[in-house]
Structure formats: structure tokens, C-alpha cells
């Protein structure tokens, strides 16, 4: 079947845990818009790539049919708990695992009770699919994979989803500029850490909207270093890989700070 | 109340493979052993703990990474299952630990007084990281001594190494002051590997020791150089070399536990006792002890 939706979402738990904070309300509303668009797209499966699920050996894919529990973020524990309940499309995950050796990547399935699902995955699925309607495929961020390899993994996941006849949505979970405040702040006073970071983020969002993939890739290479971008924007690489020739542009549904860092909800145009 | 003191410090690395190799009842996976020299090293360290009889164990773990400040476990009792996100096939450990909250609060207060950002972690559902648990299990599997758990603020990576490790030194001095005013007899645990270059694929049988060796010869040479200096008590030289060691051997001591511990101990120029060295998936790990009661 086909790619029916694609998004970038931040993965910070702050808007989910403290939706009443005015400065984070825009991101909450943007997630609601994205959730509505996702429902309209009627996906069979959500393919998730989160910068916060770190791997160093092999590429990891969640293969436990159902993962449930309560997660407490290691930084923002005082704001509350993060319950989760995810159904995994194990057939698609297994297909991805079996396909990656062709990229020179060894993959492993993760099927363990109590495995720590990362904050970004939980936040994104809670915002975009609060009723737990869609199964997911979750891919780890191997720290040794560069932009190109990550883009190839996104393309591979999309190809396997298409091969299996899925209507699939791809969601890259991660932030924009990465400078966080090093001291405690009142949430209401949150803002992007610097005007330079803000300007860089705005440029990135404009480039995303323009739909020129080579220009976007060239920009991100500099942006990632200048803005200390979250994991070099590998979540964007994964989505661009999945989109392939289908990338034509994007709309920013919401943009704002997450404790000084940049956060955006972006819907790709299909 | 008598003035508290630091009895000893241990370099106590946390590869979950060591717990896996030991097959304790708390860990779900079963093994046929493996990494014996390091596990025997920890057996010797356990004997020292038995002799020292501390009131509390303080552990600084690089796998509780915090971004805003230095955090301290602040719940009296924590339990649950800790699954290693990197090695879930090896480490699925049911933990149950008691926290010395009073001392943790004192450490946090002293850290704040020293100008650091300090935070108490009060969420009872918090999942303790595998670094903290592995180090504590390997040093005291009975779990009968209260603990203080400290996070690794990411400042050495986020700022620059020198400033970040400077924060860890400040944290160490603050920890020492807190211990002294608490009256506790404390042991410090620096949960750090040395050279951190590692293999990128795991053997089919993880405990197949025919596959275990240093990933990097240069890293191994660095480890031996640092260990030899530590064995000779040449602490000042070690800290002069530390930035080069970290850069060239990708040493995990960058995360701060080693600096925190030595700062708390006052950078003693005393020989450290090497209980053992070994590699785990190619990384260099030393279990070492500095028994401060011998110079008291």
C-alpha cells in the first residue's frame, strides 16, 4: 500500500506533563492537529524513530507484541508519570530486521518484559494516538549510525511496510536546537535559549517547507553543528529516507521552547 | 554525633555482563559464567566492604544522565525491574534498595551551597539505572547497606570537559562535607569503565571468553599507564593526564564519577589496590580500592 502521513514531533515530555503551561500550549495544540491529521489518514501502522532510544550494538527494533507500563523520565520525574500501552506490528518489525543486512547493518529484535521504552516514543504515541488505535514499529537510534545510514534505514522500513501492504505513517521523534537551560526555570518563563538558535530553527522550518531535499540536507549539516541539534537531526534523516521521492514540503503546526531547546510539530505534505 | 568520614573509595565499573556471569537470583537471564577475572576482583572488593562495615554506599553512575543539575535518589525505598536498554538479553534485574535519604539531602544541600544545581528525586516509581544497580550488586550483593545514588550531570559532554569535570570536583567536595556532618562512615563508588572503545557486535554466546579482548591496543596501553600510576599513588599525575586519557581512550571517566570520588577523598597520593582488570565487550575495566583507614 502506501505512505499516508509523516511528521516530526519533539519527544520532550514537558508539554505532555504540563499542558497547562501557556508557553507549551502551542505544542499541545499542534500535536492535537497532527493527531487529527493522522486519524484522517487511517494508517495501519505507525513507524517511529526516536532519538531518545539509544543503541550502540546493532540496530534494535521492538518486537514484543504489546508493551505496557509506567515510565518516569530521568530528568523530569517531578512533573509526573508517563503511562504507555503500545501494540507492535511484529510482522513488519521482523521484516525490517531481516532486511537490514542488505544495508550492512545487523539488527536485533527486542522482546523483553520491562524493557525501558524511551520518553520520546511514549510522548509521541500519547499525543498522536491517545486511544492506542494503531500498532507501531519502533526503531532505535544507533549512536554510530550517521545521517546517510539513518536515511537508508527509514527507506528500508518504508519499503518493507509497502511490501507488506500496509498504509503507514512515519514519525521522527526529536528536538531541534539542543541548548537547554542549565539552571532551573519557571516553566512559564521558558523560551528558546538564544536568538541565534531561534533564527536557525526558523530557517530549518522554512527549508522543510520548501521541499528541496538536497538543499535541506546541505542546510542540516551546518545547522546540526551550529544549533547543537538533537542527535544531528537523525530523526529527520529517518523520515526523509522513508519519504524518498514523496518529499514535497512540510507545514509547521507548532514551534516553541522545551526548557530552552527547540521543539516543533511538523506535518509533511503528501 | 561523631564526625563522619569516608572510609574508602572504589573504582567500581558497571558492565551488566558481570551480573549476568554471576547468575544471581535477581537477574532473569542465565549464563555459563564469563568475565571471571573481573568477578573475582569484585569478590576481593566485597571482602573489603565486609571489613570496613560502612553505614552507607554512595554511587555516582554515568547511566543516570541529567541535564539540569546533579540529582540524588530521594525516596526511602525503591524497587522494580531494571532492564538494560543496551543489553536487555543480559540484564533484567529485580532490584530492591534502601536509600539514605537524610545523607542524600545533605549532599544535595551542600552541592547547592557550593553553587551547583542540586535536585532530589522524589518519584517512588523511578526506575533506577542499570549502572547504579550493577555497581551496587557487584560490591555488596546482600543489599543490606543503605545507598545514596547520584546522577551524572552531562556537563563534561555539554560544556567542555575541563569545566564539566570541575563541576564534578565541586560535587565531590560537597559530598565530603555532607558525609562529615552526617556522622556516617561512608564508602564511595565510582561507577566508571576506563578505555571505552568497544565492539559493535555481540558474540552469539555473550559469555564466550574466546571472543573477549581489548578492542583497542592503544586504549589498553592507556589503561595500563593509568592503572600503574594509580597503583603507585601518583594521583596528581593521573589527573594531569586525565584529559588526554579521556580523549584518546574514549574513557568513561569523562562522565565524572572518578573525579567526584577523588575530589571527595582529597586526591590522596596513596597507592590504590588493584583487585583486578579485564575487558568487557572490548572495554577496559579495573576494580580498584583506596582504603583511607590505612592512613587515618
Amino acid at each position: 500500500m502506501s505512505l499516508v502521513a509523516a511528521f516530526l514531533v519533539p519527544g520532550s515530555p514537558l508539554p505532555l506533563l504540563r499542558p497547562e503551561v501557556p508557553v507549551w500550549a502551542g505544542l499541545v495544540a499542534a500535536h492535537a492537529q497532527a493527531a487529527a491529521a493522522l486519524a484522517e489518514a487511517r494508517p495501519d501502522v505507525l513507524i517511529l524513530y526516536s532519538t531518545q532510544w539509544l543503541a550502540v550494538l546493532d540496530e534494535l527494533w521492538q518486537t514484543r507484541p504489546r508493551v505496557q507500563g509506567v515510565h518516569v523520565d530521568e530528568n523530569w520525574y517531578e512533573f509526573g508519570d508517563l503511562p504507555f500501552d503500545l501494540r507492535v506490528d511484529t510482522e513488519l518489525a521482523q521484516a525490517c530486521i531481516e532486511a537490514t543486512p542488505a544495508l550492512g547493518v545487523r539488527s536485533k529484535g527486542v522482546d523483553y518484559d520491562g524493557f525501558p521504552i524511551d520518553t520520546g516514543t511514549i510522548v509521541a504515541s500519547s499525543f498522536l494516538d491517545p486511544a492506542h488505535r494503531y500498532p507501531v514499529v519502533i526503531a532505535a537510534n544507533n549512536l554510530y549510525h550517521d545521517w546517510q545510514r539513518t536515511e537508508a534505514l527509514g527507506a528500508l522500513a518504508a519499503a518493507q511496510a509497502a511490501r507488506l501492504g500496509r498504509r503507514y505513517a512515519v514519525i521522527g521523534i526529536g528536538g531541534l536546537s539542543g541548548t537547554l537551560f542549565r539552571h532551573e526555570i519557571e516553566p512559564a518563563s521558558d523560551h528558546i535559549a538564544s536568538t541565534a538558535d531561534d533564527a536557525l530553527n526558523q530557517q530549518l522550518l522554512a527549508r522543510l517547507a520548501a521541499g528541496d531535499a538536497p538543499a535541506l540536507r546541505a542546510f542540516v549539516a551546518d545547522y546540526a553543528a551550529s544549533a547543537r541539534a538533537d542527535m544531528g537531526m537523525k530523526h529527520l534523516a529517518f523520515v526523509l529516507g522513508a519519504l524518498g521521492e514523496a518529499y514535497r514540503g512540510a507545514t509547521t503546526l507548532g514551534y516553541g521552547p522545551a526548557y530552552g531547546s527547540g521543539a516543533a510539530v511538523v506535518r509533511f505534505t503528501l | 554525633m561523631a564526625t563522619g568520614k569516608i572510609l574508602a573509595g572504589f573504582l567500581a565499573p558497571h558492565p551488566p555482563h558481570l551480573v549476568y556471569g554471576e547468575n544471581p537470583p535477581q537477574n532473569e537471564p542465565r549464563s555459563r559464567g564469563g568475565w571471571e577475572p573481573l568477578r573475582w576482583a569484585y569478590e576481593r572488593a566485597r571482602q573489603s566492604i565486609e571489613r570496613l562495615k560502612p553505614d552507607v554506599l554512595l554511587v555516582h553512575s554515568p547511566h543516570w544522565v541529567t541535564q539540569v543539575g546533579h540529582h540524588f535518589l530521594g525516596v526511602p525505598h525503591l524497587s522494580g525491574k531494571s532492564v538494560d536498554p543496551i543489553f536487555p538479553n543480559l540484564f533484567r534485574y529485580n532490584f530492591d534498595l534502601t536509600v539514605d535519604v537524610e545523607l542524600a539531602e545533605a549532599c544535595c544541600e551542600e552541592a547547592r551551597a557550593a553553587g551547583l544545581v542540586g535536585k532530589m528525586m522524589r518519584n517512588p516509581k523511578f526506575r533506577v539505572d542499570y549502572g547504579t544497580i550493577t555497581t551496587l550488586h557487584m560490591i555488596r550483593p546482600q543489599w543490606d547497606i543503605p545507598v545514596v545514588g547520584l546522577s551524572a550531570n552531562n556537563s563534561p559532554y555539554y560544556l567542555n570537559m575541563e569545566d564539566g569535570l570541575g563541576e564534578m570536583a565541586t560535587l565531590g567536595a560537597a559530598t565530603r562535607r555532607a558525609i562529615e556532618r552526617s556522622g556516617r562512615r561512608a564508602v564511595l563508588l565510582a561507577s566508571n569503565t576506563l578505555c571505552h572503545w568497544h565492539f559493535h557486535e555481540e558474540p552469539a554466546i555473550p559469555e564466550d571468553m574466546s571472543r573477549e579482548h581489548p578492542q583497542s591496543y592503544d586504549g589498553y596501553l592507556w589503561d595500563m599507564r593509568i592503572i600503574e600510576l594509580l597503583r603507585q599513588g601518583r594521583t596528581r599525575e593521573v589527573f594531569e593526564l586525565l584529559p588526554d586519557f579521556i580523549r584518546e581512550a574514549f574513557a568513561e571517566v569523562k562522565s565524572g564519577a572518578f573525579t567526584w570520588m577523588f575530589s571527595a577523598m582529597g586526591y590522596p597520593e596513596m597507592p590504590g589496590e588493584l583487585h583486578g582488570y579485564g575487558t568487557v565487550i572490548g572495554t577496559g575495566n579495573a576494580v580498584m580500592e583506596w582504603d583511607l583507614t590505612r592512613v587515618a
Side-chain angles (χ1 to χ4, degrees), chain A residues 53-58 60 70-78 80-81 106 108 110 112-116 142 144 178-184 228 259, chain B residues 63-69 71 81 83-89 92 117 119-123 125-127 153-155 158 198-202 250 281:
Chain A
W53 181 11
L54 306 181
V56 296
L57 299 175
D58 309 312
L60 301 181
V70 175
H71 172 66
V72 176
D73 186 79
E74 63 185 9
N75 280 281
W76 308 112
Y77 45 76
E78 75 265 40
D81 307 334
R106 196 170 77 164
K108 271 188 184 173
V110 169
Y112 301 105
D113 174 52
F115 184 85
N142 186 305
Y144 296 97
T179 298
L180 274 86
F181 294 117
R182 308 289 297 170
H183 55 281
E184 292 187 88
R228 304 176 74 134
Y259 229 79
Chain B
H63 293 287
W64 179 14
V65 181
T66 52
Q67 296 162 332
V68 184
H71 300 210
K81 185 194 284 188
V83 179
D84 180 348
I86 307 297
F87 297 103
N89 53 325
R92 303 190 298 278
V117 176
K119 288 182 72 173
M120 294 299 297
M121 196 300 296
R122 306 284 194 189
N123 190 320
K125 296 177 187 168
F126 190 78
R127 182 181 58 85
N153 178 268
N154 68 348
S155 51
Y158 189 85
H198 57 79
F199 303 128
H200 291 270
E201 291 190 354
E202 190 176 37
F250 189 40
I281 200 154

Side-chain angles (χ1 to χ4, degrees), chain A residues 3-266:
Chain A
L3 174 64
V4 296
F7 300 93
L8 283 184
V9 294
S12 167
L14 296 174
L16 182 68
L17 292 171
R18 296 290 305 274
E20 76 284 3
V21 175
V23 74
W24 295 330
L27 289 170
V28 175
H31 277 102
Q33 275 185 271
L38 188 63
E40 201 172 300
R42 296 180 293 108
D44 297 323
V45 61
L46 312 181
I47 300 174
L48 310 177
Y49 177 95
S50 169
T51 56
Q52 294 182 52
W53 181 11
L54 306 181
V56 296
L57 299 175
D58 309 312
E59 174 63 18
L60 301 181
W61 306 78
Q62 183 59 242
T63 53
R64 196 165 184 81
R66 188 172 183 185
V67 285
Q68 296 170 279
V70 175
H71 172 66
V72 176
D73 186 79
E74 63 185 9
N75 280 281
W76 308 112
Y77 45 76
E78 75 265 40
F79 293 142
D81 307 334
L82 295 164
F84 60 94
D85 185 354
L86 300 168
R87 284 179 299 124
V88 172
D89 183 337
T90 54
E91 183 186 17
L92 177 53
Q94 199 59 46
C96 292
I97 290 167
E98 289 166 12
T100 58
L103 300 178
V105 173
R106 196 170 77 164
S107 280
K108 271 188 184 173
V110 169
D111 180 4
Y112 301 105
D113 174 52
F115 184 85
I117 305 296
D118 70 280
T119 294
T121 294
I122 295 169
V123 169
S125 58
S126 299
F127 266 133
L128 299 180
D129 184 21
H132 315 299
R133 283 192 288 182
Y134 315 117
V136 297
V137 165
I138 314 172
N141 163 24
N142 186 305
L143 294 176
Y144 296 97
H145 289 173
D146 60 12
W147 173 281
Q148 287 78 12
R149 180 149 285 188
T150 307
E151 202 170 329
L153 282 169
L156 178 144
Q160 292 304 314
R163 187 178 66 79
L164 293 176
R166 303 287 198 274
R167 293 171 58 84
Y168 60 96
V170 178
I171 299 159
I173 305 163
L176 302 185
S177 58
T179 298
L180 274 86
F181 294 117
R182 308 289 297 170
H183 55 281
E184 292 187 88
I185 62 166
E186 277 302 315
S189 70
D190 196 7
H191 56 279
I192 302 292
S194 72
T195 53
D197 278 0
D198 190 23
L200 286 164
N201 291 336
Q202 300 281 4
Q203 289 174 44
L204 175 70
L205 296 173
R207 299 270 181 172
L208 278 165
D212 181 341
L216 177 61
R217 289 188 186 95
F219 175 78
V220 168
D222 292 333
Y223 165 83
S226 303
R228 304 176 74 134
D230 185 9
M231 290 286 165
M233 295 301 293
K234 288 202 291 181
H235 47 307
L236 173 59
F238 190 87
V239 173
L240 283 181
L243 285 166
E245 298 299 316
Y247 171 54
R248 292 190 288 121
T251 303
T252 299
L253 304 178
Y255 165 68
Y259 229 79
S261 66
V265 178
V266 175

Side-chain angles (χ1 to χ4, degrees), chain B residues 54-59 76 97-101 103 136 140 143-149 184-187 189:
Chain B
D55 300 322
V56 60
L57 304 171
L58 294 91
V59 57
L97 59 83
T98 300
V99 176
D100 185 339
V101 176
L103 177 57
L136 287 169
R140 186 67 177 177
W143 292 94
D144 58 353
I145 300 173
V147 306
V148 170
R184 304 289 199 278
R185 301 168 71 257
V187 162
L189 306 170

Side-chain angles (χ1 to χ4, degrees), chain B residues 43-70:
Chain B
E43 283 184 11
R44 287 188 282 274
R46 288 171 181 176
Q47 290 170 9
S48 294
I49 296 292
E50 188 63 33
R51 177 177 48 79
L52 290 164
K53 299 191 186 316
D55 300 322
V56 60
L57 304 171
L58 294 91
V59 57
H60 188 287
S61 169
H63 293 287
W64 179 14
V65 181
T66 52
Q67 296 162 332
V68 184
H70 305 264

Side-chain angles (χ1 to χ4, degrees), chain B residues 80-196:
Chain B
K81 185 194 284 188
S82 180
V83 179
D84 180 348
I86 307 297
F87 297 103
N89 53 325
L90 307 184
F91 190 86
R92 303 190 298 278
Y93 189 98
N94 291 291
F95 67 92
D96 189 335
L97 59 83
T98 300
V99 176
D100 185 339
V101 176
E102 185 179 295
L103 177 57
E105 288 172 341
C107 291
C108 188
E109 287 168 17
E110 289 288 351
R112 287 175 179 159
L116 301 175
V117 176
K119 288 182 72 173
M120 294 299 297
M121 196 300 296
R122 306 284 194 189
N123 190 320
K125 296 177 187 168
F126 190 78
R127 182 181 58 85
V128 179
D129 71 283
Y130 76 92
T132 295
I133 292 170
T134 296
T135 287
L136 287 169
H137 173 90
M138 293 310 297
I139 205 82
R140 186 67 177 177
Q142 300 94 320
W143 292 94
D144 58 353
I145 300 173
V147 306
V148 170
L150 293 83
S151 78
N153 178 268
N154 68 348
S155 51
Y157 302 89
Y158 189 85
L159 303 172
N160 61 63
M161 190 181 1
E162 285 72 14
D163 290 348
L165 292 181
E167 276 202 22
M168 300 303 172
T170 302
L171 181 67
T175 301
R176 181 190 186 96
R177 287 192 294 276
I179 290 168
E180 287 173 348
R181 74 179 166 94
S182 74
R184 304 289 199 278
R185 301 168 71 257
V187 162
L188 307 182
L189 306 170
S191 180
N192 275 164
T193 288
L194 298 177
C195 172
H196 208 242

